[in-house]
Structures are given as C-alpha cells and as structure tokens.
Amino acid sequence: MKYVTIVVPDCELNLNSIAGAYEILTRANDYWQKIGNRSRLDVRIAGFVSESKINGGYFTVHPTDIGQIKKTDLLIIPSIFGDYAKTVKKNDGLIDWIGDQYKRGAEIASMCSGAFLLAATGLLEGKTCSTHWNAIEKFREMYPNVKIAEDKIITDENGIYTNGGGYSFLNLMLYLVEKIFDRAAAVFCSKVFQIDIERTTQSQFTIFHIQKGHGDDVINRAQMYIEENIDAKISFEKLASQLAVSRRNFDRRFVKATGNTPVEYLQRVKVEAAKKELEKGRKSVFEIMNDVGYADDKAFREVFKKVTGLSPLDYKNKYSKVELAS
C-alpha cells in the first residue's frame, strides 16, 4: 500500500489541483482493483488548518489533521495564489513537515506555484524545477539557487516532481499514475479524463513579459530601443557604445537585469510580436516574418520553434481566429 497525502497550506488555494489530484488517483486505484489487483493507494487530504475556504468562500476543504500522519510515501503540494513570500512565512510548520517527510523517504510532487512552498524547504537547492511561466521572475527572486526549466511541463529529480502552470497538473498526475501503477492505468485515466498524455512543454502557452522593474536605467533604455526597432538589424556592439558602456559590461548587466542575453531578449520580443500577429490570422507567416525583422525563413522558423515549441504555421493554425462563413 502506498500512502499519499495531498497537503492543504494555509493560504488561497487552487481547488481544482486538490480535487483533481484526489479524483485521478482514486479513479486509477479503482481501475487497478477492477482488473483484479489489490488496492495500491490510500489517498488523504491533510493540513495544519481544520478548514480552508477557497474561491471567495464558495468552496471549503476540510483536511484531516496532518499531525496525525507520521509517515507518507508521496505528498502532493497544490498550487497556491496570492503573495508567495507571505504564504511561505505563514506555513513554516507545513514546510518543516514536508522537509521532514522527504528525509524519512517520502517523494514530493508540487503543482504549479506550489513550487514556492517546496523550494522553501531547501530541497530544490541546486536542482531543477518547473512552475507557472507567469511566476518565474518572482521565483528566481526568492530562490536564486534553483534552476527553472521554463519550457518543461514536468521535472523528475531524486524523488521530487514538479510541473508547470495551470491545468498542466493533470499531466503530472498521469505521470505519477504511470509510476505508481503502470502505463495502461495512465492511458485509462488519460481517456476517462480526456487529458493529452503526451504533452511535455508549456512553451506555446507562455506570454513573454518585458522585465522592466530591475532599476538599471541603461538596460531599460536598451530594452526600449529593442522593442521600438524589432524590424531592424540591431548591432549590440553599437548599442552598447551609444549607451557608453563596454560590450562585456553591457551583456553582463543585461543578463543580470532581465535573465536573458541581449540576443535572447531580442528573439523573445520578436517572437512575442509574431505570435500576436499570427493569432489575428490576417497576415501570412512570410509577411509577419518580415514585420519582425527576419529575412531568412529558416532562421525565423528555428527561433520561433525554439521559443514556443511549435512552428509559426502550426501556431497560427492552433491559435488564430477563424472567420466562419455566414
């Protein structure tokens, strides 16, 4: 028997990640028994709080007392909302409990922004994790020694599992079902809950946010120049000279301020502009490629796919508005 604990932190929570994890795991266990096996899972929802109101109080979770659980084989941290730093501070006891369980041999899975609580245990130091693309900047600020796998849906390292944002926790649950039971059980759950079992990246869902809150005026000016000239061929050597800094110093400060090299930043800005035009569906891929300053079709396609995980045409077909014939 494998004991699973879905923890309930004291904060604003995502009900779907709690209920969804519970439903998928218990459904997989039911399937396992129906094909002639003994029950493999005991799933509990537990926390130090006796009640957690979710979504403005419309829903309420009543977890069991986590203090009564001496050992668990797998614990799952749901995604959280609100001020991450305050949430971490408010859940010291739970964070210590999670770290202690890992030392006792438990595996840990965090969903989306639940990675903030997991990282607070110190267990992710020097490791790689995934979280929601929209929380990456804050995560890096709070946990600079943890590497973010920006494009990955799931990471798996030393008994610690993490996943990207939103409903990608469903893919994490299928991943865990396959590890706990087998591939057939995961495929069964994929079909029952209609989850794409082969989804591996969140790149296509990412919206690139321009990082401007870093306080480096020189880099802010460089960013503005890049954003205003995405259709031009930019020489960063000349740009650094215009800003009265050496190229080496410019590159170092740019990476420190934005998390990207100047070239990466330029590519991300160009791709984000291209994505918006592709979503409108009015222009051809070739027209958009020229609009964002690419003359080489192959180079544009390679950069676009590197950033989004899709070709420009596939992205357009998937996300562009479709005019219905009247």
Side-chain angles (χ1 to χ4, degrees):
M1 180 71 71
K2 196 176 188 76
Y3 294 96
V4 179
T5 304
I6 303 170
V7 301
V8 179
D10 184 6
C11 63
E12 189 179 351
L13 295 165
N14 184 329
L15 174 64
N16 294 317
S17 63
I18 295 173
Y22 183 85
E23 190 172 1
I24 291 172
L25 290 175
T26 53
R27 190 63 177 270
N29 197 48
D30 289 345
Y31 162 82
W32 190 248
Q33 291 177 84
K34 283 179 182 177
I35 61 172
N37 301 298
R38 290 184 179 181
S39 174
R40 182 164 284 186
L41 285 186
D42 179 355
V43 184
R44 293 164 285 182
I45 299 174
F48 286 110
V49 293
S50 58
E51 178 181 276
S52 181
K53 291 184 178 180
I54 300 173
N55 294 87
Y58 283 104
F59 306 101
T60 307
V61 177
H62 296 277
T64 58
D65 180 7
I66 206 166
Q68 296 178 6
I69 299 174
K70 303 304 178 187
K71 184 181 183 300
T72 188
D73 298 302
L74 170 66
L75 64 90
I76 297 172
I77 306 170
S79 55
I80 59 177
F81 297 129
D83 187 314
Y84 299 128
K86 286 183 180 178
T87 295
V88 166
K89 203 169 185 180
K90 198 176 181 182
N91 286 274
D92 281 345
L94 179 61
I95 290 165
D96 288 343
W97 186 86
I98 291 169
D100 185 58
Q101 290 301 315
Y102 185 74
K103 290 174 185 174
R104 291 168 178 247
E107 295 184 311
I108 304 174
S110 74
M111 302 176 180
C112 189
S113 50
F116 281 84
L117 291 176
L118 174 56
T121 65
L123 296 174
L124 288 177
E125 292 286 305
K127 295 186 176 69
T128 301
C129 82
S130 186
T131 189
H132 197 290
W133 56 261
N134 201 28
I136 288 175
E137 192 173 348
K138 183 63 179 177
F139 190 93
R140 282 197 176 117
E141 178 188 319
M142 290 178 63
Y143 306 108
N145 296 324
V146 181
K147 185 180 177 183
I148 293 288
E150 293 188 31
D151 63 330
K152 285 191 176 181
I153 291 288
I154 296 167
T155 66
D156 175 348
E157 193 171 352
N158 298 326
I160 296 176
Y161 314 96
T162 67
N163 82 271
Y167 282 82
S168 67
F169 79 85
L170 298 171
N171 296 92
L172 174 62
M173 298 319 300
L174 292 184
Y175 185 81
L176 293 174
V177 165
E178 183 169 353
K179 288 184 77 75
I180 295 167
F181 298 97
D182 59 16
R183 178 72 174 181
V187 169
F188 171 79
C189 288
S190 170
K191 291 179 178 179
V192 168
F193 295 103
Q194 299 186 38
I195 307 166
D196 181 2
I197 198 169
E198 298 302 336
R199 219 179 106 205
T200 59
T201 178
Q202 62 177 336
S203 297
Q204 62 185 281
F205 306 107
T206 302
I207 300 172
F208 182 57
H209 290 296
I210 307 300
Q211 309 105 316
K212 291 285 181 66
H214 45 72
D216 189 326
D217 182 60
V218 168
I219 301 306
N220 266 327
R221 286 157 57 198
Q223 288 174 271
M224 287 181 64
Y225 182 85
I226 290 169
E227 292 150 27
E228 291 169 2
N229 295 276
I230 60 169
D231 60 339
K233 188 173 182 179
I234 296 175
S235 165
F236 289 111
E237 196 73 47
K238 288 182 180 178
L239 181 56
S241 179
Q242 289 168 12
L243 294 169
V245 292
S246 69
R247 175 63 194 273
R248 183 177 179 182
N249 190 33
F250 175 74
D251 287 354
R252 180 185 61 78
R253 287 169 66 172
F254 205 103
V255 171
K256 183 180 179 182
T258 70
N260 297 112
T261 67
V263 172
E264 288 169 345
Y265 191 89
L266 176 61
Q267 290 175 341
R268 296 294 296 271
V269 170
K270 286 175 180 285
V271 168
E272 195 61 32
K275 282 165 59 182
K276 289 175 182 175
E277 288 302 313
L278 288 166
E279 287 161 16
K280 293 175 185 175
R282 294 193 198 88
K283 293 183 177 180
S284 69
V285 171
F286 182 77
E287 288 174 308
I288 293 169
M289 177 190 81
N290 285 316
D291 287 346
V292 297
Y294 277 93
D296 185 338
D297 175 65
K298 184 172 182 288
F300 175 63
R301 284 187 283 108
E302 285 178 351
V303 169
F304 193 94
K305 189 161 188 178
K306 176 186 173 185
V307 173
T308 69
L310 295 172
S311 71
L313 185 58
D314 286 342
Y315 188 92
K316 181 180 181 181
N317 291 338
K318 191 167 188 176
Y319 293 108
S320 69
K321 296 176 181 178
V322 178
E323 298 293 336
L324 298 176
S326 57

